[in-house]
Amino acid sequence: MSDTEFKINTVAVIGSGVMGSGIAAQVANAGHKVLLLDIVPEGAENRNVIAETALARMKKADPAPFMSKRAAKLVETGNIEDDLEKLAGVDWIIEVVVEKLDVKQALYRRIDAVRKPGTAISSNTSTIPLARLVEGMPEAFVRDFMITHFFNPPRYMRLMELVTGPDTNEALAAAVTDFADRKLGKSVVVCNDRPGFVANRLGVTWIQLGVLKALEQGLTVEEADAVMGKPFGIPKTGIFGLIDLVGLDLMPHIGASLKSALPDGDMFHETNRDLPLVNKMIADGYTGRKGKGGFYRLNREGGRKIKEAIDLESGRYSVSAKVESAELKAARKPRQVMEIDGPLGRYAFGVMANTLSYAASLVGDAADDIAAIDEVMRLGYNWRWGPFELVDMIGAPWLVARMREENIPVPDVLEKVGERTFYRIEDGKRQALQPDGSYRDIERPEGVLMLEDIKRVSKPLLKNGSASAWDIGDGVVCFEFTSKANAMDDQIMTLLDKTIGLVKKNYKALVIYNEGTNFSVGANLGLALFAANIAAWGEIEKLVSNGQATYRKMKYAPFPVVAAPSGMALGGGCEIVLHSDAVQAYAETYIGLVECGVGLVPAWGGCREMLTRWQNNPAAPKGPMPATAKVFEMLSTATVAKSAEEARELLFLGKDDGVTMNRYRLLADAKARALAMVDGYQPPEPQEIVLPGPSGKIALEMAAEGFARRGIATPHDLTVARELATVLTGGDTDIIDPVDEDTILELEHESFMRLVKTKKTLDRFESVIETGKPLRN
């Protein structure tokens, strides 16, 4: 068969447990129909009860497996007794049943009897080698079979490990890879057919090392997680928090599978020890967050919520204590943590040196290159840096010398790196060291454009402390936020204004995008609080005015502006999205005007934009009040869309705005969207809208007062709601004629300034800065 004959459109998932149902949900999120099958329980009246229960559970789950209510409708449930013949109508069959070889192979024979030739078949196994799975199966089945190892939860984890065999049809594997990449949003890493592949083999060994070394050094779980967290670019869960998240009861099962499959002498076996404390915790129901707790738990006695941690020696819980270590606080780099004198430093070195040694031993075994192993740990375990990136940061000569002192194995690839680094930049290209000692360019998949690559070989067109503008080719400029958390400030406004002028003179289009964790978390509250504390009201006035002017200039620029958000796009970040001509959003974008949550109202045009969108919504009731009431409800409660598709439902995105499933493809898609708009582009016309006036304001205030009487809204929430009602209804003056943009912007400005001068709002600023959450006062 030629490549073009393999096209995946419909998918079946067999096994509706947490992983199977999650994979099915992600297929539906991509807009494709999916068949979800499971067994028929003995004596069941409803023969589809298991799959149907899984679907119902997913509709209520938080975090949600589905990106929208529409996606859930694409899942058809059934069972493998009555509905197996439906597999003849699908293009890819994913098996996600129990990790028992005999069960899987018996199912494969039944699948092979009904599927159409050329249907892709894959297993989501995490431990069983492909060669064993296909033993005794027909040649045609073996050609169409592969392993596609997803990670939990499938919607949010971007990694998929792909394992093929010597006889696997390469064109079919390429079709699965392309679908997983473009439609399911996965970074596909090709692994060799070894037990545990890369993620489980390396990740589980790292976790087990973390537990054992904590016991050896006498550390508390809090100390271990503080060491094995931020300093190494690892999520703040650390080791023990991660085990709680994954589930303690899952670890022994993975350990048993790897123990039986990995060869003698593998480092995994040294770490895979029976721990009486863990066994007792599992027996007592302390299986992690899904159970009564794990290494950490929430004590809810007396109606309180007190976080507690277990003592690794006694097994008793006590109030979780913050780690106070001046040395750890001062150590900002991995090597500095490993050099701390005492138990914390010995723990850091013992865990990471052994983990990095094991990672190096997997090169040429579990995977063929270091970049693949690094990608697995970045996306599969949310490490900021992969193992070999960490070696470069630590320094290979120092690390190897210390490893020899501690009798830790030094694999061949660590010997070969010598004084060099695993990664280097050559002629503007990032290269990775190969097992033979040479370097090779790291190639991006077709259709992937990364700003980090452009920045490596060029200089910014414009730059200041909070933003940069880059030429990304074909007459398109990319504007990038670079402030902390990409928070909006006066420097961003200044550079955005200059960038608009630059594009107007010399370029075709503008894309607003960055590769940070979040597009923007909103305005810089720290700067606003500082200005308020010294009564520099003129500076705050200027920030509001300049923001309004810059956003308006962007909206009515004589060229297309495309916003490409990912992660959180809140407050001022959301207003960037609302003022753009078009949006190409990453699927996992969380958009909202959240200013009311910190005691303010949107003041850069967000109120006006949302009013316009809801009044223009053909599905909404006519007249000014329904749209105003809907916007008031959303903004007063600081509603945040939990996906790009939900953002479309809430009109933060328009019906024609695009969604990109793979984060790596976002910039290329946004650039293509901008270029497609260039020919014949005309900026939007200013639009007047009708507001309900004083009677509408009274109605909104009454609704807010009702929430306050029920204890849902605080007194300051009520103050903020009244100001928001003033903005959304047009103030205290009777309004008969349509209102222009200037009127609403002026109302936004006035209400914002009244609120920012209140102590309650400034208290909320302080609370957000300190804890990340507003104080309810």
Side-chain angles (χ1 to χ4, degrees), residues 296-357:
Y296 298 96
R297 73 176 184 184
L298 276 181
N299 188 333
R300 301 174 187 272
E301 292 180 6
R304 299 176 299 171
K305 291 183 180 179
I306 299 175
K307 185 178 181 181
E308 297 180 338
I310 201 167
D311 184 291
L312 294 175
E313 290 189 5
S314 69
R316 292 190 293 269
Y317 286 93
S318 60
V319 176
S320 181
K322 186 177 180 179
V323 177
E324 301 290 349
S325 167
E327 291 176 307
L328 184 58
K329 189 175 182 179
R332 300 188 178 276
K333 297 181 179 180
R335 179 166 160 181
Q336 292 172 338
V337 183
M338 298 167 84
E339 289 180 318
I340 293 174
D341 186 24
L344 297 184
R346 288 195 295 272
Y347 177 74
F349 184 83
V351 174
M352 291 311 298
N354 280 283
T355 299
L356 298 177
S357 168

Side-chain angles (χ1 to χ4, degrees), residues 481 485-487 512-514 516-521 563-570 572-574 576-577 589:
F481 309 140
N486 292 329
I512 302 178
Y513 161 93
N514 63 71
T517 302
N518 295 303
F519 183 70
S520 175
V521 297
S566 62
M568 290 189 286
L570 307 179
C574 174
I576 286 281
V577 170
T589 302

Side-chain angles (χ1 to χ4, degrees), residues 100-149:
K100 293 184 178 180
L101 183 60
D102 58 338
V103 173
K104 291 179 184 291
Q105 288 188 329
L107 177 62
Y108 296 162
R109 294 185 185 95
R110 296 181 63 191
I111 290 172
D112 199 41
V114 296
R115 74 183 182 103
K116 64 186 177 184
T119 301
I121 311 156
S122 71
S123 174
N124 185 61
T125 183
S126 58
T127 54
I128 305 174
L130 183 147
R132 296 190 64 196
L133 291 171
V134 297
E135 282 177 354
M137 296 300 298
E139 289 184 10
F141 181 93
V142 174
R143 283 197 303 272
D144 296 341
F145 188 82
M146 62 201 82
I147 290 172
T148 52
H149 181 211

Side-chain angles (χ1 to χ4, degrees), residues 39 64 92 120 161 222 313 325 334 356 381 418 436 463 466 519 533 559 570 594 598 619 637 688 724-725:
I39 62 172
W92 180 12
E161 290 180 309
E222 297 100 323
E313 290 189 5
S325 167
L356 298 177
Y381 287 85
D436 64 2
K463 180 181 175 62
S466 295
F519 183 70
N533 283 337
F559 51 81
L570 307 179
V594 297
V598 294
T637 56
E688 294 181 326
L724 180 64

